[in-house]
């Protein structure tokens, strides 16, 4: 797997380490990135279900109005 090197503010990384309960800066950054990706997938799933429900409502025949 390819590796990436990133420079981050040390205080920021230490805060993540404390909040996540991890012992290394590498683990802290991985936790944050994995959480961000998981949230994105959950959002996509919720949005997709909403879009499908809206499409189903739109395809149902509507009674004449007027």
């Amino acid at each position: 797997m390819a590796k990436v090197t990133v420079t981050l503010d040390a205080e920021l990384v230490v805060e993540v380490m404390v909040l996540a309960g991890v012992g290394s800066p590498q683990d802290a950054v991985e936790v944050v990135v994995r959480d961000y990706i998981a949230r994105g997938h959950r959002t996509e799933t919720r949005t997709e279900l909403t879009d499908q429900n809206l499409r189903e409502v739109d395809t149902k025949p509507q009674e004449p109005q007027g």
Side-chain angles (χ1 to χ4, degrees), residues 36-51:
Y36 183 81
I37 292 169
R39 286 178 186 217
H41 289 298
R42 289 192 301 266
T43 300
E44 287 174 356
T45 300
R46 277 188 259 136
T47 304
E48 183 178 316
L49 291 175
T50 301
D51 288 347

Side-chain angles (χ1 to χ4, degrees), residues 8-21:
L8 297 171
D9 180 3
E11 290 181 19
L12 180 66
V13 175
V14 169
E15 189 168 346
V16 172
M17 289 171 62
V18 170
L19 291 171

